Amino acid sequence: MLVTGGPAHDLHILFASAEWPGATITNDVTERTVLVVEDEEAIAEAVRARLLSEGYRVVVASDGPQGIEASRRERPDLVVLDLMLPGMDGLEVCQEIQRDEWVPVLMLTARTEEADKVAGFAVGADDYLTKPFSLRELAVRIRAILRRKERMQQPAGHEAIARGELLIDPGRRRVTVGGEEIELTPLEFEILYALARDPGVVFTREQLMERVWGYRDFAGGRVVDSHVARIRRKLGEDGAEPRFIRTVHGVGYSLKGAPS
């Protein structure tokens, strides 16, 4: 089933024979709360019904202020957030939701411009789906994000990794360069840590998506590129001669340097 948004309350639900090849949905979800912030009532209802059938507890808000209030009240495990909300847009809402406590955010957007997606990642969004989207794919993405959240909350049994001036401490989820702490989002930390565990190994964008996001999306290379670019800026990378993350053109990325 594909959900496509148009003008307010104008929704078309299209049936497809193969909604997301290779995806498997099982109903082993222990009750988690998902907050859906969506102003188009029919889309919100379609998403709510699908997530209820997957075993989630679902709270729906129809605008930004309601979404922020619901997030603070319900403390959801994940937020599904429409980018184009009336009055207070999704970027502002995402930033406000993340102010007090990190919560994973999956953005829904009718926009296809790369800049809009990059802006979402910049304020803490974990993933995005472009309308029209498959409800099955939405369920798969949510499941993958929640698995990653569980993994991040488990005690890390690995020692700190040093690569030159770069120090990654998985136990404290802390990154420093030359002793100066670098503020990374949880997803940025996961990407950097994935590269650091296998220095010199070149990961394709699809392999990074599978390792970090928990699924493969062969159209998601630009998502990886956007996050890597942000990590490099935060690490103080010089584009001409990067100290830490190496780009292998046409392939992917690897972490430079031998252990200290």
Side-chain angles (χ1 to χ4, degrees):
M1 183 179 292
L2 297 178
V3 176
T4 163
H9 312 303
D10 178 17
L11 175 79
H12 303 284
I13 299 179
L14 310 175
F15 292 88
S17 58
E19 293 171 319
W20 212 40
T24 301
I25 301 292
T26 57
N27 290 316
D28 60 351
V29 177
T30 56
E31 188 173 72
R32 303 291 186 83
T33 298
V34 177
L35 170 61
V36 178
V37 187
E38 168 62 68
D39 65 310
E40 295 189 50
E41 185 177 344
I43 293 181
E45 176 55 29
V47 171
R48 187 190 73 85
R50 178 60 191 237
L51 296 183
L52 284 174
S53 75
E54 295 288 332
Y56 298 104
R57 175 175 174 267
V58 184
V59 178
V60 177
S62 60
D63 61 29
Q66 286 183 28
I68 293 168
E69 180 185 351
S71 179
R72 289 172 177 164
R73 181 182 69 248
E74 303 290 341
R75 300 187 68 186
D77 297 284
L78 181 142
V79 178
V80 177
L81 175 62
D82 185 23
L83 179 61
M84 298 179 68
L85 293 169
M88 188 179 196
D89 71 18
L91 296 177
E92 295 177 85
V93 176
C94 184
Q95 201 164 22
E96 192 62 33
I97 284 175
Q98 305 278 14
R99 190 179 302 278
D100 299 324
E101 182 181 16
W102 174 76
V103 58
V105 174
L106 171 60
M107 280 197 159
L108 304 178
T109 175
R111 301 173 180 172
T112 57
E113 290 83 359
E114 191 68 28
D116 292 315
K117 297 166 187 175
V118 172
F121 295 139
V123 294
D126 288 78
D127 205 349
Y128 71 90
L129 277 176
T130 302
K131 298 177 183 178
F133 60 88
S134 158
L135 289 173
R136 183 179 177 85
E137 181 178 355
L138 175 69
V140 170
R141 297 281 186 101
I142 288 174
R143 187 177 297 272
I145 292 171
L146 289 175
R147 278 200 304 264
R148 185 170 71 244
K149 182 181 179 183
E150 282 184 1
R151 185 176 72 241
M152 289 164 51
Q153 291 174 336
Q154 292 173 355
H158 300 283
E159 296 181 356
I161 298 172
R163 300 284 180 259
E165 291 187 319
L166 176 65
L167 181 66
I168 303 169
D169 185 343
R172 298 180 180 179
R173 298 190 66 82
R174 186 169 179 263
V175 175
T176 60
V177 174
E180 180 179 348
E181 186 164 358
I182 307 299
E183 291 189 12
L184 299 180
T185 67
L187 188 57
E188 289 166 352
F189 181 91
E190 289 289 306
I191 295 169
L192 183 61
Y193 184 46
L195 293 170
R197 281 185 294 174
D198 294 293
V201 174
V202 179
F203 290 91
T204 66
R205 292 163 177 83
E206 292 77 21
Q207 287 171 331
L208 277 173
M209 289 208 77
E210 185 170 45
R211 179 173 281 204
V212 176
W213 276 261
Y215 60 85
R216 283 199 179 206
D217 181 353
F218 291 95
R222 291 297 300 159
V223 175
V224 176
D225 293 342
S226 296
H227 283 292
V228 170
R230 285 182 52 78
I231 295 169
R232 279 175 161 161
R233 284 196 296 272
K234 290 182 178 184
L235 295 179
E237 293 270 57
D238 181 350
E241 185 58 42
R243 289 184 293 164
F244 307 118
I245 301 175
R246 181 171 68 101
T247 299
V248 180
H249 295 287
V251 183
Y253 300 100
S254 70
L255 194 78
K256 296 175 65 177
S260 299

